Amino acid sequence: MKRIFIILTLIVNLNVLAQTKVNNFSIKNTRPVDLVNVFLGSSGDHGQMSPAASYPFSMLSIGPQTYPKTHTGYEYLAKKFLGFTHNRFEGVGCQGSGGNMLIKPFLGNDELKSELLKISERAYPGYYEVGFENKIKAQLTVLGKSGKHLYQFPKGEKGIYLDLSYAFNNAFVAEEHEIKGNSVSGYIVSKTTCSVGKYKLFYYIELDGNADWKALSEHKLVAMLSNNSTSIGVNVAFSSVSIESAKSSLNKSSFEKLRAESSNDWNNNLSKIAVEGNLEDAKLFYSLLYRTMQSPYVISEKDGRYRNTKGEIKQDNEVRYNGWAIWDNYRTQLPLLSIVTPERYQGMVNSIADLYNSGKKDYATQTEPSNTVRTEHAIVVLLDAYSKGYKVDFSKIADSLVKEVNGLDYKSPDKALESSYDNWAMAQIFKILKNKEKSDFYLNKALEYKTYWNKDFKDITRGDVDRMQARGLYQGTIWQYRWFVPYDFKGLVELDGGEEAYLAKLDEFFEKDLYNHANEPDLQVPLMYNFTKSGYKSQYWMHTLAADTVIQNYFNDNSRGIGSFIDKIYKNEPKAYIRTMDDDAGAMSAWYIFTASGFSPACVGWPVYYLNVPLFQSITYRLPKGKTFKVEVENFNPKNKYIKSVTLNGSAFNKNYITQQNIEAGGVLKITASAVPEKVSKTENWISSIEE
């Protein structure tokens, strides 16, 4: 009997160990790229993401165009396909943009009568595949600025249809093309996101084999294939510079070679952060990390040529980028890239700075080199980059920065606070330039936020304080915007009547579920207990919003209370996120990545990150020159949301924040977690102050 008991015990223990192994992830055993779910957020208005075949920071992404569509041209639940398009700006609202150059495989001799109805589908980073009822199978892959369609057909009449005038939401403006046998090349002009500006793309498309393109009408072409052929490849490449540059980027390697190289490059990028822990959590983590690396887009060629926002050809040794959503992602995605892609980030910073030379609008110019969205707070991003050790020559763009800041809008309460942020950044930049007079001038301009705050945000007893767009607010409520003074939290606490009064209102804000994670205006508020005696509440809210069920009453369409959202926000499924919540070019994904890592930006412009308990037992950032920054959790348990103590490289660390310098120096940050909060703070708490 004793022997049977021992055997049963061993069997149970082995099963537990096997189950533990299956349910846990380590980068040592599995490639992160194999965990990514590219269908996350691709159904309804739950993230506005697509499963398109893409490549890190490439302007080319080849993806399915369905009917009906969502903001990126694709709906996960849709069965009917219109074809495949070649670019899209992921998760940025305004009904999406891009969707240029529709390619449709068809059977018979009339593309309009051939219907594509989905029966199977799979995809992962750099690759997309779909099978249709009519036996056509489509495979797509992208490597750099080049991509390939591979279509398989049954025998019989068939062809490839190309609509050069296709674009999302009637955004097409103009195109010119030239047909040479099996190739077609030219350029397309299309409206940017929200139809504010225009961008121009040069392209080169070439069919494998002997099929030739024929004109059907002014913008529509067709290539009929041999009745006996059962497959054809379509090679395509983009450039912001010229047709010749697009042609030189064309990669005619085999489909499998392109797909393998794309997958490998994606894996190298995703492996810059190595998590160890629950497998399902790791799948969500890498699916969201993947989203942070879609934009901005590389617009320069291998020889250094690129077009600026005036449409002029320039040349630089540094890789240039375009395709900005800065108002959306300056809080999270760009700070994340400053850590995980330092080899790219200097080029991104240079490209943002160059906007002030070549023509910068809040949204877009009429001659953009790629699709783009908006660039408000670019000045804050440049200051933030400088504070982290990136090079910014402010002296060359100071006049343009002044012109932008002097033209800021103060007409609505939210605009007044947003504009004050840029004035603060301008003051810091003149301080860097050792111009005390101008630094003092813009510091005083920034301090005027107090007048606006006292006028509109101090009194929260008025009836409209919880109403979306009250008093001319763009996206948000008075409650949500009253906290937007990231550069002077110390002054905000004083305006609010001191720490006790401030905490009472902050508690009320969360107790009444007034916070809105479906949009960015109050995204920093969960961190805003950190500079008080109740810092543990920030640890609670960061963990809760990232991993637990929450109640949300506000939505990104400026509605409130139309059926409360009660669920986890971050889910690894097509209907992820809160209804109407955009990923906003990686902004919301990056928020999760930071929170899961155990540190988040305290105030963009300062190289400071507040701490929380990570969502993994171990998470390692792989840095240049072989360095690593590792965050370990002792006493790890999903229920342990609070920080008990912290050590850095084995020594007690008595701060509730780390800096970019701490991260880049490498080492091990060990956080001891607890289910019970440390209600009496013993740490040095960082607080932003306009006077410093």
Side-chain angles (χ1 to χ4, degrees):
M1 191 69 180
K2 186 176 181 181
R3 180 178 292 178
I4 293 172
F5 176 77
I6 292 171
I7 292 171
L8 288 172
T9 301
L10 286 170
I11 291 171
V12 169
N13 288 338
L14 286 171
N15 283 336
V16 169
L17 287 171
Q19 189 69 26
T20 300
K21 188 174 181 180
V22 169
N23 290 336
N24 279 275
F25 167 80
S26 172
I27 202 169
K28 298 170 187 174
N29 306 319
T30 307
R31 300 195 317 159
V33 71
D34 296 330
L35 270 60
V36 174
N37 174 16
V38 299
F39 294 103
L40 188 157
S42 65
S43 183
D45 198 352
H46 292 266
Q48 300 184 5
M49 296 176 257
S50 85
S54 67
Y55 186 81
F57 308 105
S58 174
M59 64 171 71
L60 176 69
S61 67
I62 311 176
Q65 178 69 30
T66 66
Y67 176 83
K69 69 177 183 68
T70 54
H71 297 70
T72 56
Y74 173 86
E75 164 55 55
Y76 179 77
L77 297 175
K79 297 295 183 184
K80 183 177 180 180
F81 279 51
L82 304 180
F84 306 93
T85 56
H86 294 80
N87 63 332
R88 65 220 73 240
F89 213 128
E90 297 280 351
V92 291
C94 280
Q95 300 302 308
S97 64
N100 293 122
M101 297 164 41
L102 178 79
I103 285 182
K104 177 186 177 183
F106 65 91
L107 299 183
N109 57 16
D110 186 346
E111 71 284 349
L112 298 178
K113 293 181 180 178
S114 182
E115 205 169 40
L116 298 174
L117 299 175
K118 177 177 72 175
I119 58 170
S120 66
E121 182 179 40
R122 68 188 182 105
Y124 48 79
Y127 177 75
Y128 175 84
E129 171 192 307
V130 60
F132 299 111
E133 284 186 4
N134 60 8
K135 308 302 182 184
I136 292 177
K137 179 182 177 181
Q139 295 172 278
L140 314 170
T141 192
V142 173
L143 181 68
K145 294 179 184 177
S146 182
K148 194 179 190 80
H149 304 237
L150 181 61
Y151 297 111
Q152 295 177 6
F153 299 90
K155 288 185 178 181
E157 283 190 298
K158 66 186 72 71
I160 301 291
Y161 168 73
L162 172 61
D163 183 355
L164 295 169
S165 64
Y166 192 90
F168 296 160
N169 310 308
N170 301 311
F172 171 75
V173 176
E175 67 94 4
E176 286 190 10
H177 67 270
E178 181 182 18
I179 298 173
K180 286 187 178 179
N182 69 338
S183 71
V184 57
S185 59
Y187 69 79
I188 290 172
V189 179
S190 200
K191 295 175 187 176
T192 61
T193 308
C194 304
S195 297
V196 178
K198 300 185 188 74
Y199 63 93
K200 188 175 187 178
L201 290 176
F202 297 89
Y203 67 89
Y204 193 90
I205 298 176
E206 187 174 276
L207 300 172
D208 290 337
N210 299 318
D212 291 339
W213 293 104
K214 304 292 182 185
L216 287 176
S217 60
E218 185 179 4
H219 305 301
K220 298 174 175 61
L221 288 67
V222 69
M224 298 303 298
L225 311 181
S226 163
N227 284 4
N228 291 323
S229 67
T230 56
S231 68
I232 189 169
V234 184
N235 301 299
V236 59
F238 272 1
S239 172
S240 71
V241 174
S242 65
I243 295 168
E244 293 74 21
S245 294
K247 185 177 180 180
S248 68
S249 292
L250 205 69
N251 193 326
K252 298 182 185 180
S253 298
S254 71
F255 186 91
E256 286 305 317
K257 186 173 187 296
L258 290 177
R259 179 171 72 164
E261 287 186 28
S262 182
S263 179
N264 186 58
D265 288 350
W266 266 117
N267 191 63
N268 289 337
N269 277 272
L270 296 169
S271 296
K272 290 181 177 182
I273 307 179
V275 302
E276 294 196 12
N278 180 272
L279 177 61
E280 294 306 313
D281 291 341
K283 288 178 180 178
L284 175 61
F285 181 91
Y286 285 112
S287 297
L288 295 174
L289 181 59
Y290 166 75
R291 291 296 167 188
T292 70
M293 299 180 182
Q294 302 291 327
S295 62
Y297 311 124
V298 174
I299 59 167
S300 53
E301 300 300 324
K302 291 179 181 177
D303 61 6
R305 289 183 303 150
Y306 67 96
R307 284 186 189 268
N308 63 19
T309 51
K310 287 182 179 177
E312 302 165 332
I313 294 181
K314 299 288 184 178
Q315 191 154 3
D316 193 270
N317 292 329
E318 193 80 53
V319 174
R320 292 291 177 145
Y321 296 82
N322 195 59
W324 307 107
I326 296 176
W327 186 87
D328 298 301
N329 60 26
Y330 79 95
R331 299 166 173 85
T332 52
Q333 188 242 11
L334 291 174
L336 181 67
L337 296 183
S338 79
I339 301 173
V340 299
T341 60
E343 75 285 356
R344 289 183 179 271
Y345 201 66
Q346 184 64 64
M348 294 178 186
V349 170
N350 291 349
S351 301
I352 293 171
D354 193 44
L355 294 175
Y356 289 95
N357 295 318
S358 63
K360 175 185 177 296
K361 303 288 186 183
D362 279 353
Y363 273 76
T365 71
Q366 298 301 309
T367 49
E368 294 285 341
S370 74
N371 199 353
T372 193
V373 190
R374 54 196 304 184
T375 59
E376 298 101 320
H377 296 316
I379 185 174
V380 175
V381 174
L382 294 177
L383 174 64
D384 186 68
Y386 182 89
S387 77
K388 294 172 177 176
Y390 290 95
K391 296 176 183 177
V392 185
D393 191 344
F394 288 118
S395 62
K396 286 186 176 180
I397 60 173
D399 290 345
S400 296
L401 291 170
V402 166
K403 183 179 179 181
E404 179 180 63
V405 171
N406 288 351
L408 291 171
D409 184 359
Y410 297 81
K411 292 177 182 176
S412 59
D414 56 337
K415 287 283 189 181
L417 296 186
E418 297 268 3
S419 298
S420 297
Y421 196 1
D422 285 4
N423 274 290
W424 168 78
M426 190 79 260
Q428 301 308 306
I429 289 168
F430 274 122
K431 189 175 181 180
I432 292 165
L433 294 174
K434 301 188 185 321
N435 188 328
K436 187 176 186 305
E437 181 182 353
K438 288 189 176 179
S439 179
D440 288 346
F441 173 81
Y442 285 102
L443 195 65
N444 288 328
K445 282 287 291 180
L447 278 166
E448 291 176 8
Y449 87 83
K450 295 184 178 183
T451 301
Y452 297 107
W453 195 91
N454 280 324
K455 175 179 177 292
D456 276 298
F457 298 104
K458 188 176 185 69
D459 182 4
I460 54 170
T461 64
R462 294 168 63 179
D464 64 350
V465 293
D466 60 349
R467 191 182 310 152
M468 296 293 285
Q469 296 185 296
R471 304 180 212 174
L473 297 177
Y474 170 49
Q475 290 181 329
T477 67
I478 293 294
W479 259 114
Q480 290 156 12
Y481 256 102
R482 80 186 307 269
W483 314 103
F484 190 75
V485 192
Y487 47 90
D488 192 23
F489 286 146
K490 184 177 180 181
L492 177 64
V493 171
E494 292 170 357
L495 285 175
D496 219 6
E499 184 169 307
E500 293 297 336
Y502 166 84
L503 284 172
K505 294 183 182 71
L506 194 53
D507 286 342
E508 182 181 357
F509 180 69
F510 283 106
E511 286 166 2
K512 291 183 175 179
D513 297 310
L514 297 170
Y515 172 71
N516 180 12
H517 200 78
N519 208 348
E520 281 86 358
D522 58 351
L523 204 60
Q524 80 288 351
V525 184
L527 292 165
M528 290 178 65
Y529 286 101
N530 272 306
F531 45 83
T532 73
K533 63 183 180 182
S534 300
Y536 67 92
K537 292 183 180 179
S538 279
Q539 297 161 25
Y540 169 84
W541 279 110
M542 295 300 283
H543 187 285
T544 298
L545 290 164
D548 294 340
T549 296
V550 298
I551 298 172
Q552 293 277 279
N553 292 318
Y554 291 91
F555 302 93
N556 199 22
D557 57 2
N558 292 314
S559 63
R560 177 187 177 224
I562 303 175
S564 297
F565 173 92
I566 307 174
D567 200 351
K568 287 185 177 181
I569 296 173
Y570 292 93
K571 303 184 292 291
N572 192 11
E573 57 189 51
K575 284 194 175 180
Y577 290 4
I578 300 165
R579 177 182 64 81
T580 76
M581 176 176 159
D582 308 341
D583 191 52
D584 279 331
M588 294 305 191
S589 291
W591 185 94
Y592 179 91
I593 298 302
F594 270 126
T595 305
S597 301
F599 56 93
S600 297
C603 171
V604 180
W606 265 296
V608 178
Y609 302 84
Y610 284 129
L611 298 177
N612 64 273
V613 176
L615 302 183
F616 294 90
Q617 193 162 357
S618 170
I619 185 161
T620 303
Y621 279 66
R622 295 179 172 176
L623 307 171
K625 300 179 181 178
K627 291 182 180 180
T628 60
F629 180 72
K630 186 175 186 179
V631 185
E632 293 181 343
V633 182
E634 192 171 287
N635 197 27
F636 179 82
N637 188 300
K639 295 180 180 180
N640 296 346
K641 304 178 182 181
Y642 302 103
I643 297 175
K644 183 176 180 62
S645 62
V646 181
T647 63
L648 179 61
N649 298 326
S651 300
F653 191 74
N654 194 37
K655 299 178 180 180
N656 74 340
Y657 66 95
I658 56 172
T659 65
Q660 189 94 355
Q661 188 177 11
N662 292 141
I663 296 169
E664 291 176 351
V668 178
L669 184 78
K670 182 173 284 188
I671 295 175
T672 301
S674 172
V676 180
E678 295 287 314
K679 291 193 174 183
V680 179
S681 176
K682 299 175 183 177
T683 60
E684 175 189 324
N685 298 341
W686 186 85
I687 184 168
S688 63
S689 173
I690 202 167
E691 298 169 358
E692 294 180 7

